[in-house]
Structures are given as structure tokens and as C-alpha cells.
Amino acid sequence: MKVSELSPHGIADLLAHGDLLVKLGPFVARIKSDVSTLAADLASIYDDFQVQPPGTFADFHVEVRRERGLRRWIKPQVRFFFDGRPSFIPLPATQAFPMLEWGLNWCVAAHCHQYLIFHAAVIEKGGLAVLMPAPPGSGKSTLCTGLVMRGWRLLSDELALYDMDSGLVHGMSRPINLKNESIAVIRKFAPQAVMTKPVADTTKGTVALMRPPAESVARVDEPAHPAWIVLPKYVAESKPEMRPYSKARTAMLLAEQSFNYDLQGLCGFNAIGDLVSKCECLQFTYNSLDDAERAFERLNKGHKE
Amino acid sequence: MILKESQPVCHYRRTGAIRYRMWADEEFAVVYSEMSGDTHLLDSFSLEVLNCLGMEPKTARKLEGELSSLIALEDQERLPSFVESSLLQLQSVDLVTATSL
């Protein structure tokens, strides 16, 4: 059963009782919340996701709960709980849905060490995946969103789950986190995109969460073979250019952009070395999503700028 | 007769086992220290210095002798500074230690 098949009252009721079990790729999250706006956002943005039957084992038990006391009424705040324990500082109640997303990201990054986890976007077409590792603010989510709205499958805009044994990359196809100017850029590029209302004054600026394409969610259990590692760089008024990038530097960047590389020891080092060896490593400079769309199509067909 | 005190001679050795990956036509390698778990980006010459060193202490002079074949004839004069620079870099990331004997 999908989230879309539940009524709004049904979703709110499941959330209130902590009985909403949602499949997120390889994981299941049990979600609880007493925040009505979160229920509405979840219904809209997670509508294609599978709801699991009662009693399904959940990897994460998470809750976004309204603060008690004065903070329930005056400048209301919400707090994230993991396995019943409060985690992180409370945030304004308007940030309840982003808080859920950031909390789920933390759950995976902090616990799922069966994968080597990169801070990277991952998209796929024709069975081959592009990994885009990049520090925050590099424009990878905007680029990822643009390509996904032009037919690439979304595995993730944030967390690449690399299976060190199989060499395949997994994703969760979760909502894409857009920030600041990228919200307007994507609205213009893809007017059909479904997003939450922008939420201002978060630690990342103004954020909005975009519903992932239904096909990406439907295919979430299909891992992909990584073929390219592309380091995106948005440069205003630049010509689009895809050029080879040092494999050694790419390996260092992957290590730096990994949430759990330090925990993996020599296995992690070998895994990154193998990944970089089998992928084409490129740096992509661009100034428009239309140029990016063309450049990635050429890449997929075996050409480079 | 005044005897000059002999200057202590620095001996260098690796701090532990390493693994590395290097790709064709690239100037840099990634090196993993099994002792610390740290990963480093090293230029190819520094990697050669590291491979030369092993666990037995060596002086810089001995290293220069073993590495001279890697340097073009016209650059041989600069070999000591290459070796010194590499050893400083390797010490700064704890891949090499120095002892005075």
C-alpha cells in the first residue's frame, strides 16, 4: 500500500500512534509525530512510498514532537527523537518536515555501516550511475534535480550507499532538499515539480523539499553500477565543460565526503580505490541546467564535452 | 687540540605499514597508513621516499643514493632538497619519524 492510498486522517492517526512504517529503500522507518503540518507534507511528498504492514521490523524509530510547556504555544518548537531519545536541538515548528528529513539522513549516516556512505547525489540512466560527491553549497542538489526532471532516475540527492562487496550503489529515492536560489531555479526549469512551501530561516537558509519522481520511488530496490564520478561546479556565465579529473584527487574527495570512511579502515580505502579505478572521473563546470542536460546525455551516450 | 663535536645524524624510518593506490599518468597517489588509519595524498616522489624507507632507519644521504636513479641528470643537484622536502612532508603527516643517532 502506498502513502497516497491513506486518507489524510489515516496518516495523521498512524503518525499520532507511531504506527506509520515507511519503506526507504533498504530500510524501514517507524515515524511518529503530533505535528499536523508534518502529516500534510508527508502525505504530499511521500505519496508514492510504500507503507509497511503493522509489525514490520523498523530500522529506525523516529519522532518529531512538539515541545512541551511554553514552547508549545509561544514561538512553538519541535524536537527530533531517535529510539525515544531526544537528538539535536529543538527547531521552530515550521521546520518540522525538514527536521524529519535531516533526522532520517543522520539515522542512516550514523548507523548504516554495512555501506560506505558518501555525501553525494546519485542518478542513473541505462543501468549506469553517476556519483556526484560535493561539499554543501556546490550546487549538486540543483544539478541532480534538474537531471532527474529530465529523465534520470533518482537514487539520492544526499546519501550514496556504496556496497563494498558488490560494488553497486544503492539509494532511497527520498525527497530532494532544495535551498535558497535553487528553489526558484527548479520552479522555472520544471514547473510540474511538487514541492513543500519554502521554509525560511533554517540553518541552511530557505529550504523546500521536492517530491521524487514516482518511477524513481518504484525502482528504489534496484541498485546501480557506478560508471562516472562527476564533480559539479556551477560557474555563472561559463561554458559547459566536462573534463577528466585526477583519480587520486577524486579518491581523496570521496574519503573526505564520506560519513563513515574512518570506520571502514582498510576496507574503505580499498573500496574507494576500486570505485575510482572503475569509474571515469570528471569535473563538470556549467551555468545552466539546459547545458547540464545536454552534457549528461552525451556522457551517457559515450561522449564528453 | 679542540675536538669538534660531531653533529648528530638524523635517521628516518616509516611509522608503520602503508597501502597505496596510484593511477597511470598521474603525479599523485593516495596512501593509507595502517597505523593511524589516515589517508593522504602524496606526490609520486614522496611515495618513492616512503617505499625506500621501510622500518630500518636510513639517513637522508643514503636515501639520496637510492633515489638518484629517479631524478634526471640535470636535476641531480636538487636531489638533496627534494629528499629533504619529502621527508618534512612525510613527518608532518606522521608517516615518517626521525631520530638523531
Side-chain angles (χ1 to χ4, degrees):
Chain A
M1 174 195 278
K2 288 187 187 178
V3 169
S4 60
E5 294 172 63
L6 295 167
S7 67
H9 174 78
I11 293 172
D13 191 58
L14 285 171
L15 281 170
H17 291 94
D19 288 335
L20 184 64
L21 290 147
V22 181
K23 178 171 158 46
L24 306 173
F27 314 114
V28 172
R30 178 183 290 275
I31 306 173
K32 186 174 182 182
S33 184
D34 59 356
V35 182
S36 57
T37 55
L38 188 150
D41 284 333
L42 213 148
S44 167
I45 303 298
Y46 271 90
D47 66 338
D48 289 311
F49 283 71
Q50 293 290 329
V51 176
Q52 301 300 285
T56 301
F57 175 82
D59 298 277
F60 316 116
H61 293 230
V62 300
E63 180 180 2
V64 175
R65 185 200 302 170
R66 289 186 290 171
E67 286 283 80
R68 308 290 189 235
L70 282 176
R71 278 299 187 197
R72 191 177 179 86
W73 312 113
I74 299 171
K75 290 191 180 176
Q77 290 181 331
V78 290
R79 193 185 290 264
F80 183 84
F81 290 75
F82 172 68
D83 278 357
R85 287 189 297 272
S87 311
F88 317 121
I89 57 170
L91 295 175
T94 51
Q95 298 182 26
F97 190 52
M99 173 184 258
L100 174 65
E101 288 299 296
W102 295 330
L104 286 170
N105 286 345
W106 173 81
C107 287
V108 174
H111 299 95
C112 300
H113 305 309
Q114 67 270 44
Y115 300 104
L116 179 53
I117 304 174
F118 301 117
H119 182 223
V122 189
I123 56 174
E124 174 266 332
K125 195 178 249 191
L128 299 176
V130 182
L131 255 77
M132 292 187 277
S138 59
K140 71 166 173 17
S141 289
T142 312
L143 177 61
C144 169
T145 308
L147 294 168
V148 160
M149 299 311 287
R150 289 292 187 271
W152 287 77
R153 175 166 69 110
L154 171 73
L155 279 82
S156 184
D157 74 316
E158 192 81 21
L159 298 175
L161 309 176
Y162 183 62
D163 185 325
M164 292 179 283
D165 293 326
S166 67
L168 298 174
V169 65
H170 298 251
M172 293 178 277
S173 304
R174 281 177 43 228
I176 298 178
N177 195 327
L178 296 169
K179 298 182 276 288
N180 304 314
E181 300 81 11
S182 68
I183 299 171
V185 167
I186 295 299
R187 278 203 198 285
K188 189 176 173 190
F189 185 75
Q192 75 278 22
V194 174
M195 291 186 211
T196 60
K197 269 199 287 193
V199 177
D201 301 324
T202 76
T203 53
K204 303 182 183 205
T206 299
V207 304
L209 286 146
M210 193 193 88
R211 183 199 288 170
E215 195 202 331
S216 297
V217 179
R219 295 175 60 196
V220 72
D221 288 330
E222 289 177 38
H225 289 273
W228 302 279
I229 302 171
V230 176
L231 281 50
K233 192 175 174 188
Y234 172 78
V235 177
E237 296 175 16
S238 65
K239 281 175 61 176
E241 190 176 10
M242 191 87 77
R243 58 165 70 173
Y245 193 72
S246 156
K247 285 186 183 274
R249 290 188 186 279
T250 303
M252 282 303 293
L253 180 73
L254 284 171
E256 287 159 6
Q257 292 300 315
S258 170
F259 293 98
N260 62 353
Y261 174 73
D262 288 347
L263 296 177
Q264 304 291 355
L266 184 58
C267 287
F269 177 76
N270 288 333
I272 281 184
D274 292 344
L275 176 59
V276 164
S277 288
K278 69 184 175 189
C279 289
E280 198 173 352
C281 299
L282 303 158
Q283 182 168 59
F284 179 54
T285 309
Y286 73 106
N287 81 327
S288 83
L289 291 176
D290 290 309
D291 285 339
E293 181 189 356
R294 283 188 285 270
F296 275 73
E297 280 308 307
R298 275 194 287 273
L299 187 67
N300 195 242
K301 287 174 182 165
H303 299 277
K304 288 192 291 285
E305 289 278 3
Chain B
M1 185 167 71
I2 299 169
L3 293 171
K4 267 192 193 172
E5 275 188 25
S6 58
Q7 297 286 332
V9 176
C10 255
H11 285 67
Y12 302 91
R13 63 174 182 80
R14 277 215 307 254
T15 52
I18 59 163
R19 303 289 182 107
Y20 67 91
R21 291 282 191 113
M22 195 158 178
W23 291 270
D25 302 324
E26 293 209 8
E27 294 175 15
F28 289 86
V30 285
V31 177
Y32 176 82
S33 164
E34 292 198 11
M35 187 199 72
S36 66
D38 290 337
T39 303
H40 306 280
L41 186 72
L42 291 184
D43 63 272
S44 55
F45 186 78
S46 296
L47 179 61
E48 292 295 340
V49 170
L50 203 55
N51 277 329
C52 241
L53 271 174
M55 303 305 287
E56 290 292 317
K58 288 183 184 175
T59 62
R61 181 66 63 86
K62 186 155 170 50
L63 281 170
E64 287 163 26
E66 291 179 17
L67 293 165
S68 61
S69 60
L70 296 176
I71 305 293
L73 217 55
E74 59 268 26
D75 288 329
Q76 288 291 321
E77 271 184 10
R78 292 160 64 194
L79 179 57
S81 70
F82 290 160
V83 170
E84 183 186 359
S85 168
S86 289
L87 286 171
L88 278 171
Q89 184 197 8
L90 292 168
Q91 284 177 87
S92 73
V93 294
D94 294 327
L95 286 171
V96 163
T97 57
T99 47
S100 299
L101 296 175

